[in-house]
Amino acid sequence: EPTNHIDTRSVEWIENLLEHYPGSCVLVTHDRYFLDRVVNRIVELEFNRLFSFPGAYERFLEYKVSIADTEARTENNRAALLRRELAWYQRGPKARSTKQKARIHRFHEVVEQGPPQRHAEFFFEIPEPERLGKTILETRELSHGYEGRVLFSKVNLLFQKGMRMGIIGPNGCGKTTLLRILMGLEPPQKGRIILGDTTQFLYVDQAHEEVVPENSILDFVSDGAVYWEIAKRRIYVPAYLEKFLFDRDSVSMPMGNLSGGERNRLHLAKKLLRGGNFLVLDEPTNDLDLYALRVLEETIEAFDGCALIVSHDRYFLNRVCTHMLVFGTDGTIERIAGNYDDYLLYRERKEQEDRASRAQAATVPQKAAAAEKLRRLTWKEKDELDRMEETILQAETRVIELETTLSAPGFYEQAHTEVRVTLEALEAAKAHAATLYQRWEDLEAIGR
């Protein structure tokens, strides 16, 4: 697990290092982005057997689908054969001839063969006490720091139903502190937090409680209570734990008999049982296997409330997030509309613009700059400058229209592709407005 507890920039550095490493490497990881970029063969341990697949993670998924299709066809053929042989066998043939004996023997072999092995299916349930109201969570000019160090400054956030915001940044930059302040567990140094009357946080942190080996599963999850009350809802805890692959009869089992993976599922089950309509997840993917990760992703996608997610799992962020908060090393926070891939595109575009600006500043001769100062506006430029305020007003109106669309109730309940189109249109509209402002300044500078 080389990528556990490491920020995304550090993981990218490790990926670059391994991509150009001339030797061989064997690694164990649940980081699917890492697998896709670094490895050229994946070995899976499943049902006490080893399976080896050439290629990276995406190719591995294709092989798994192909295997599942083959197994399904094989099972259909086996079932059809069983039906035919069972009909013949029930007619009571006498095992007198060698051929009949062989056919009866084959029938029993097919029965004993059984269907292909399958993983037991489970899902994570998040009890919701009540629906979110119109006001959910809003921050105004939020600032915080310690001992003269600024963690973040003037953070303004407005949550709408269906928003799932991922948070990334270097270790120690203040991600967990921001979560605690938003939940009211710690006061901010400056700024204001507005919380909706019906907003109830469900906090899932990285900490794992100490397990008393003699205590039962029921003692650990619900302090021994068979029924759990959430608002007006009553949950039967043994049935709830069945969804996490624990039989009802096993709730009295001592915790000391559980494996590490089972304990991880129980820690998550205990925290989710408390319920809420605003998920706050701090590194939720640590210690979860790939199947559990996929189940958690599907659970969050289907969740009816909002979510704040601190994670270094880029694949996870890419699948579930509608927005990103990116912490810098200097106390700045950038808000990106979209998922992790959208953030990468934004970062690449920004780096290209920075390189172009530096190159332009280094190559523009001083004489050309002086000549620019002496230059006068052309008739076309004067006309453009006269109409610039109206043009900028139209561009800003377009930005306001798109932001209003994003703020509308139920916007994020649409299909992801439709949400993505609107988010991209907003980014383009903002970029266009910024370009117009820069052009206005340039024309006025020449006119002076």
Side-chain angles (χ1 to χ4, degrees):
E1 296 290 353
T3 63
N4 267 11
H5 311 294
I6 300 178
D7 62 72
T8 52
R9 286 282 194 170
S10 299
V11 173
E12 289 175 5
W13 182 84
I14 295 174
E15 288 173 343
N16 289 328
L17 180 68
L18 290 179
E19 272 190 306
H20 301 94
Y21 177 61
S24 298
C25 177
V26 177
L27 57 93
V28 176
T29 183
H30 293 148
D31 189 326
R32 292 156 290 180
Y33 257 42
F34 194 84
L35 287 170
D36 241 346
R37 184 171 175 186
V38 172
V39 308
N40 53 29
R41 178 168 290 275
I42 291 178
V43 176
E44 182 186 32
L45 178 61
E46 186 178 39
F47 302 125
N48 299 321
R49 294 178 295 173
L50 279 177
F51 299 90
S52 181
F53 304 90
Y57 183 70
E58 185 175 347
R59 185 64 177 147
F60 163 75
L61 291 179
E62 293 173 359
Y63 278 116
K64 293 289 286 184
V65 170
S66 176
I67 290 173
D69 290 343
T70 301
E71 288 180 342
R73 287 195 298 271
T74 302
E75 176 59 17
N76 288 337
N77 293 337
R78 189 184 78 92
L81 176 61
L82 275 177
R83 286 192 295 270
R84 290 196 305 270
E85 295 301 300
L86 180 61
W88 172 81
Y89 188 73
Q90 287 175 339
R91 289 198 295 267
K94 303 296 182 182
R96 292 173 181 171
S97 68
T98 303
K99 185 175 181 181
Q100 286 175 320
K101 289 179 181 179
R103 187 169 180 178
I104 292 172
H105 179 69
R106 183 180 65 174
F107 170 71
H108 288 294
E109 281 186 339
V110 173
V111 171
E112 292 172 1
Q113 177 185 337
Q117 286 180 285
R118 290 281 184 267
H119 290 287
E121 293 187 358
F122 69 95
F123 62 93
F124 300 128
E125 182 180 11
I126 304 175
E128 295 184 49
E130 56 183 318
R131 297 176 66 86
L132 289 167
K134 185 176 181 181
T135 301
I136 300 173
L137 175 65
E138 183 179 353
T139 69
R140 296 179 183 175
E141 302 293 305
L142 204 64
S143 301
H144 198 73
Y146 295 112
E147 299 177 353
R149 180 193 170 197
V150 177
L151 291 178
F152 46 85
S153 178
K154 297 182 179 179
V155 177
N156 294 295
L157 301 173
L158 176 63
F159 277 86
Q160 300 291 330
K161 187 178 179 182
M163 284 180 62
R164 300 186 294 271
M165 185 172 289
I167 304 177
I168 61 174
N171 290 334
C173 66
K175 302 186 293 293
T176 299
T177 301
L178 176 62
L179 296 185
R180 291 179 57 81
I181 289 174
L182 293 177
M183 291 186 293
L185 302 177
E186 189 175 330
Q189 287 183 343
K190 294 180 181 179
R192 183 184 174 199
I193 298 175
I194 302 171
L195 193 65
D197 294 335
T198 61
T199 302
Q200 295 187 37
F201 294 109
L202 173 54
Y203 184 33
V204 179
D205 59 7
Q206 305 176 52
H208 281 190
E209 295 181 28
E210 287 292 327
V211 170
V212 180
E214 296 78 20
N215 284 2
S216 70
I217 290 175
L218 199 63
D219 290 333
F220 178 78
V221 173
S222 61
D223 299 324
V226 176
Y227 290 95
W228 192 265
E229 303 285 345
I230 295 183
K232 298 178 181 179
R233 183 179 174 189
R234 197 180 193 204
I235 296 174
Y236 182 52
V237 179
Y240 168 80
L241 290 175
E242 274 191 321
K243 298 166 184 174
F244 292 80
L245 290 188
F246 294 97
D247 295 334
R248 298 192 187 195
D249 296 336
S250 71
V251 295
S252 57
M253 178 191 298
M255 291 288 292
N257 295 341
L258 301 180
S259 67
E262 288 172 330
R263 290 188 184 185
N264 291 335
R265 288 205 308 275
L266 270 185
H267 277 104
L268 194 55
K270 177 175 182 175
K271 291 168 182 174
L272 294 181
L273 181 60
R274 273 60 190 166
N277 50 29
F278 196 123
L279 280 177
V280 181
L281 309 177
D282 194 353
E283 295 293 352
T285 64
N286 284 355
D287 306 317
L288 293 181
D289 58 44
L290 290 179
Y291 180 68
L293 285 175
R294 290 195 291 271
V295 174
L296 183 59
E297 288 165 353
E298 291 165 2
T299 303
I300 294 174
E301 284 186 305
F303 185 61
D304 197 37
C306 292
L308 267 172
I309 306 164
V310 173
S311 179
H312 297 147
D313 189 327
R314 298 158 294 173
Y315 195 101
F316 183 81
L317 293 171
N318 209 45
R319 181 167 177 184
V320 304
C321 290
T322 62
H323 291 77
M324 297 291 299
L325 275 186
V326 184
F327 276 70
T329 56
D330 55 353
T332 59
I333 295 182
E334 294 181 289
R335 178 176 171 177
I336 312 297
N339 57 16
Y340 186 79
D341 275 353
D342 295 312
Y343 157 66
L344 290 181
L345 291 173
Y346 165 81
R347 191 178 76 183
E348 181 181 358
R349 185 166 60 244
K350 187 176 180 182
E351 289 173 352
Q352 290 175 348
E353 291 173 354
D354 290 344
R355 286 195 296 269
S357 298
R358 288 194 297 270
Q360 184 177 7
T363 55
V364 174
Q366 293 183 354
K367 290 183 180 180
E372 183 69 23
K373 290 182 180 179
L374 296 174
R375 190 172 74 81
R376 296 290 182 266
L377 290 173
T378 64
W379 179 87
K380 187 176 181 180
E381 288 172 333
K382 287 180 181 179
D383 181 61
E384 182 183 0
L385 181 59
D386 290 339
R387 292 184 290 103
M388 187 57 74
E389 288 191 44
E390 182 182 351
T391 305
I392 289 176
L393 179 61
Q394 293 174 355
E396 289 182 332
T397 301
R398 175 58 177 162
V399 171
I400 293 171
E401 289 174 352
L402 290 168
E403 288 179 338
T404 302
T405 301
L406 263 67
S407 301
F411 172 77
Y412 291 101
E413 298 176 17
Q414 302 179 86
H416 177 69
T417 52
E418 297 179 14
V419 172
R420 183 84 174 269
V421 168
T422 308
L423 292 173
E424 290 176 352
L426 177 59
E427 289 298 320
K430 287 181 177 179
H432 179 57
T435 302
L436 290 175
Y437 271 112
Q438 184 60 50
R439 176 61 174 168
W440 192 13
E441 291 178 6
D442 293 343
L443 290 175
E444 285 196 325
I446 296 173
R448 288 196 297 267

